[in-house]
Amino acid sequence: MIDLHTHTNYSDGTWNVKTLLENAQKAGVEVLSITDHDTVQAYKELATFDYSMYFIGKLIKGCEFSCVFNGYKIELLGYNFDIETIDNWLQDYYSSDNVKMRYKKEFDLLYELCNEKGIKVSENLEYHFGKEFPIDQIFYDVIKYPENKLKIALEAWENPGVFYRSCTTDENFILFFTFNELLPQAEDISKLIRENRGKVFLAHLYHYKIPREEEFLEKITKAGMLDGVEVYHSSFNNAQIKFLEDYCKNCNLLMSGGTDCHGDKKPERKLGVGYGNMNINKSIIRNWI
């Protein structure tokens, strides 16, 4: 069993590195990758101790990179890359000052869009760095006003995660906006990973709110920036998995998969098995690890 999509408290997971390793061992994971968002700090920590005391399986270096393709905010998974150059790039691009500026700009863009689209928000609302992500802060302000419910799809109204994805990838959503000026382009991230001897995979296609997902997949494939696709994910149904399996075979793309475990933050999404039935066979990665 493999799990190539997991998060620690170096990004938005709740477990530290050792706890994640211990739980992977208990779950029977044979091949693991820690894929924190836009950081490889977990691997720098791993270099300071003998992790076989906690996990005896194979560990594959990984990271989930935020980027933009075709105007949509997506994630690319990078695997098996050389750490040092990637780490230097990430620490420079995501320095504290840069992140503060980007979050402020993101907040301002969305706040202005609310006013433009007639979505009521508090007057003189200001973004407070470190308290919440910009879209989350807007979400919790928007739902304070019942009149907004008439303009926001019910699922997005009730779920901040759906609201977030709708803002970033659903062009039909009233508050959709592009991240073109806020994040690197997918082409540049793919180049960065490959130049450092890594493999590039599209993360959780069906987890986004992209209209016509399969057309989007075709576009990003034709752009030549993918080595593979995350075929197995906790949020996918059997039909989606079957399509992606066939797609990878037909397009000669590699396959990966993982639970997207976030520890206690999403306890129902269990390491190794997702919502209970994933148990991905390690045979799918035998030709690229």
Side-chain angles (χ1 to χ4, degrees), residues 5 14 19 30 32 36 58-59 64-65 73 88 100 106-107 138 141 150-151 156 204 266 269 279 284:
H5 191 158
T14 60
T19 300
E30 299 168 90
L32 176 72
D36 282 317
K58 183 177 179 63
L59 192 62
E64 188 171 15
F65 296 83
K73 179 185 180 298
N88 289 338
K100 285 179 182 178
E106 179 182 326
F107 178 86
I138 293 288
D141 194 71
L150 297 173
K151 300 178 181 180
H204 44 49
K266 300 175 182 178
R269 193 185 295 172
N279 198 5
I284 70 158

Side-chain angles (χ1 to χ4, degrees), residues 104-122 125 138 174-177 181:
K104 179 65 165 60
K105 189 170 185 179
E106 179 182 326
F107 178 86
D108 290 345
L109 285 170
L110 188 51
Y111 185 76
E112 290 170 10
L113 186 59
C114 285
N115 289 318
E116 178 186 322
K117 297 292 185 178
I119 302 295
K120 186 172 182 179
V121 284
S122 300
L125 188 66
I138 293 288
I174 191 170
L175 294 178
F176 167 75
F177 68 106
E181 298 178 12

Side-chain angles (χ1 to χ4, degrees), residues 25-42:
Q25 184 65 32
K26 290 176 185 176
V29 175
E30 299 168 90
V31 185
L32 176 72
S33 184
I34 299 171
T35 52
D36 282 317
H37 295 281
D38 304 312
T39 180
V40 291
Q41 291 303 300

Side-chain angles (χ1 to χ4, degrees), residues 15-32 34 42 45-59 271:
W15 293 339
N16 62 32
V17 172
K18 290 179 181 177
T19 300
L20 177 62
L21 294 177
E22 288 173 334
N23 280 288
Q25 184 65 32
K26 290 176 185 176
V29 175
E30 299 168 90
V31 185
L32 176 72
I34 299 171
E45 180 182 338
L46 282 164
T48 67
F49 66 93
D50 179 9
Y51 70 79
S52 66
M53 296 172 59
Y54 303 89
F55 176 68
I56 63 171
K58 183 177 179 63
L59 192 62
L271 195 64

Side-chain angles (χ1 to χ4, degrees), residues 119-131:
I119 302 295
K120 186 172 182 179
V121 284
S122 300
E123 289 187 26
N124 303 316
L125 188 66
E126 294 183 357
Y127 178 61
H128 300 288
F129 181 75
K131 183 178 179 182

